[in-house]
Amino acid sequence: MSSQAERFFDDAVRTGRKNAVTMEMARRHCLNMTFTEFGGQGMAEAATGLPINTRQVSCLVAHGGASANLDWIVGEFYEQHCVGCSHRRPTGDVPNLATVMDERKEAAARAEEAERAETAKRHRAWEQRAEDRRGAQASSDPAMASALDDIGVLDQEPGTERDREVCDAALRRLTALAERAPETFSTPVIALALDLVTDVHVPELLTPLRHVARVRREHAANVLRAALATLRRSPVVEAGRCVADLLSLQDGGQVDEPVVRSLVYLAEPQSRRFGVYEGGTGDASALRVAAGAAPQAVARVLTSMLPAPRPSEPLVVPPGVRPAPQSGRELEMDRRAAATAVQALAFTHPDAAGALVPQMLLNLGVDGDHHNDPAPIATVQRSLATLLVLEVGDVPAQLEHTGRTAGDSVRERLFGVLEQAGRLIDPGYRFRTAGDPQLDASQQRRSLSICFPRV
């Protein structure tokens, strides 16, 4: 079986084992509950004997929903029909469906209580921040008093709905003031804004803080630390801009792998796949700055996001025993983003991009997760083609070396790199993107001399 088929089969076996437990809990709860196959039948259940096919839950009183995930429909059926039912035929064994549902209710109640306590705690902290802002306003000039009001708008009260228009207007006023008169921002106001970014996760304030730090360099280090802390949580556009403007070679030690991963995601242009928009902004400036300051961290992250094919298992284990792997969608997003990042680095950091050519060639051996989606394989091919026409990393020689021992499917993908290179060479190619190289006549001739002998 292929790796993709193995993954699907393992997932089916895991589902079947969970369904078997659910059916046993239901049997112990009431002997009247039955699970009837509903719809088609698959080979996984026939091969394992586990309840993997879609089933409908029912009893003498009612018919419930049908699903391959029995836990979901059994829980719904219990709430609607089993509580207080006079026709119940219990076995007396525990645990059973009733005890499981009671435990879930208790866990949900505890989680709700913990959430209320956390909201109350955050509200007390918000009230203290509001009091601190009022105290700072008393000793501030009119410009800073107005800025503190706008900061207070962005510091949303916990439990209230965010008014996007009001918040956007407050951010525009703060940004305009920071662009036109950065010297008006006092040190206490800057400190309050930085605390909101790092402690309360209000990354919007990085926009005015970045404009202030570009002019008043004594605040650059603190703003940069806040931006890096934000990037460790998620890929935030304004945090990436802070890195592009404020990161220096001396700050390379602060750039760790979570930061680089966020910058890689931001460097990927936004695209629409299966009705969902994915990707970042397509701005690789922050990643390029990070590659200059922390090249080893960037190389480690890109290598991890472009994994080699999984080796064959040294030990044959039963299906469903292996730990659940990273989801196919997450893996594909990593591969697309990393390949796009390597393509962007080829223009400014050719040594760093060229060193990743062997890893990208290995990654071509990893199958995609969806047969209708050509990415990420096509994205890796296009990145390698860009390196080929830019003469970065000696792609032609490594293509030949890899092709000698590759299988037929991988050889087809290697040949696809040359096809992509041919499109980049063609001046009349209609689907050129902003990230593709613009070749002059001499570069086109050199690239043709490289590609045609191999075609």
Side-chain angles (χ1 to χ4, degrees):
M1 274 190 295
S2 67
S3 59
Q4 186 175 8
E6 288 176 350
R7 185 167 67 249
F8 289 159
F9 193 74
D10 281 353
D11 290 342
V13 171
R14 292 189 190 95
T15 300
R17 287 176 176 159
K18 293 178 182 178
N19 287 343
V21 173
T22 301
M23 292 173 65
E24 174 61 18
M25 293 297 104
R27 186 196 67 80
R28 292 180 180 184
H29 171 71
C30 179
L31 294 174
N32 290 331
M33 292 185 71
T34 60
F35 295 87
T36 307
E37 290 197 26
F38 189 90
Q41 299 179 348
M43 293 186 293
E45 178 164 327
T48 62
L50 293 170
I52 298 172
N53 296 334
T54 299
R55 282 172 165 78
Q56 182 182 33
V57 57
S58 58
C59 69
L60 299 176
V61 176
H63 294 283
S67 174
N69 180 6
L70 299 184
D71 183 77
W72 171 58
I73 59 171
V74 167
E76 185 180 66
F77 186 88
Y78 176 87
E79 295 292 341
Q80 294 176 354
H81 306 292
C82 294
V83 177
C85 178
S86 59
H87 300 281
R88 180 188 175 192
R89 293 171 55 203
T91 63
D93 296 333
V94 291
N96 54 45
L97 183 59
T99 61
V100 170
M101 297 302 295
D102 289 342
E103 289 173 359
R104 291 182 182 179
K105 288 181 180 178
E106 293 174 1
R110 289 194 298 269
E112 186 177 352
E113 179 61 30
E115 184 178 356
R116 284 197 295 266
E118 179 62 24
T119 301
K121 178 181 178 181
R122 289 191 289 112
H123 198 277
R124 290 193 296 271
W126 174 82
E127 290 177 339
Q128 183 60 51
R129 293 194 301 273
E131 182 64 28
D132 294 341
R133 285 193 294 271
R134 286 191 290 268
Q137 280 181 316
S139 58
S140 299
D141 56 34
M144 282 298 93
S146 177
L148 285 167
D149 285 334
D150 289 331
I151 291 174
V153 170
L154 295 173
D155 184 11
Q156 182 182 359
E157 180 180 0
T160 61
E161 186 176 355
R162 182 183 181 88
D163 191 330
R164 183 171 294 277
E165 292 184 1
V166 173
C167 291
D168 289 346
L171 181 60
R172 284 195 298 270
R173 290 191 293 268
L174 286 169
T175 303
L177 181 62
E179 288 178 333
R180 298 171 185 175
E183 68 280 355
T184 60
F185 279 79
S186 64
T187 300
V189 171
I190 293 174
L192 285 173
L194 287 171
D195 288 342
L196 282 178
V197 173
T198 55
D199 299 337
V200 192
H201 312 325
V202 186
E204 296 90 346
L205 285 171
L206 287 171
T207 302
L209 288 170
R210 175 171 62 90
H211 292 296
V212 172
R214 289 171 61 186
V215 177
R216 300 170 60 182
R217 301 301 295 183
E218 68 272 17
H219 298 292
N222 291 332
V223 174
L224 177 63
R225 278 194 291 270
L228 294 175
T230 301
L231 288 170
R232 291 186 184 100
R233 291 190 293 268
S234 61
V236 177
V237 173
E238 192 53 43
R241 291 171 180 164
C242 288
V243 171
D245 288 349
L246 305 177
L247 185 70
S248 64
L249 294 177
Q250 291 74 28
D251 300 318
Q254 302 182 55
V255 180
D256 52 20
E257 295 185 14
V259 170
V260 175
R261 183 174 287 269
S262 290
L263 296 179
V264 169
Y265 288 138
L266 290 175
E268 182 186 12
Q270 189 179 72
S271 60
R272 185 177 181 180
R273 300 181 186 277
F274 304 108
V276 178
Y277 286 97
E278 298 177 350
T281 63
D283 183 5
S285 57
L287 178 64
R288 287 166 174 154
V289 173
Q296 295 180 347
V298 172
R300 285 196 302 270
V301 170
L302 291 175
T303 300
S304 67
M305 296 174 75
L306 292 164
R310 190 180 69 181
S312 58
E313 296 288 348
L315 179 65
V316 178
V317 296
V321 174
R322 302 183 189 91
Q326 181 184 20
S327 71
R329 203 62 184 163
E330 292 176 357
L331 179 60
E332 292 209 351
M333 290 173 61
D334 281 0
R335 295 172 67 191
R336 289 200 314 267
T340 304
V342 175
Q343 180 177 354
L345 291 176
F347 295 92
T348 56
H349 297 75
D351 292 340
L356 291 164
V357 170
Q359 190 66 31
M360 295 175 72
L361 291 172
L362 284 174
N363 187 255
L364 284 178
V366 180
D367 294 330
D369 190 59
H370 198 288
H371 67 278
N372 286 329
D373 187 4
I377 294 171
T379 311
V380 177
Q381 289 173 329
R382 195 171 191 85
S383 179
L384 285 166
T386 299
L387 270 61
L388 188 153
V389 300
L390 293 177
E391 302 182 52
V392 172
D394 196 11
V395 175
Q398 298 197 56
L399 279 173
E400 289 187 354
H401 177 73
T402 305
R404 291 192 186 102
T405 56
D408 291 340
S409 62
V410 175
R411 286 180 178 176
E412 290 181 6
R413 295 170 186 175
L414 296 176
F415 186 79
V417 175
L418 299 177
E419 291 181 325
Q420 293 275 14
R423 297 188 181 103
L424 296 178
I425 296 169
D426 182 6
Y429 181 53
R430 295 186 302 158
F431 302 103
R432 193 177 299 276
T433 65
D436 292 336
Q438 302 293 331
L439 305 179
D440 56 31
S442 62
Q443 289 176 311
Q444 291 173 3
R445 286 193 296 270
R446 285 199 303 271
S447 299
L448 285 170
S449 66
I450 292 172
C451 292
F452 274 133
R454 290 168 174 80
V455 176

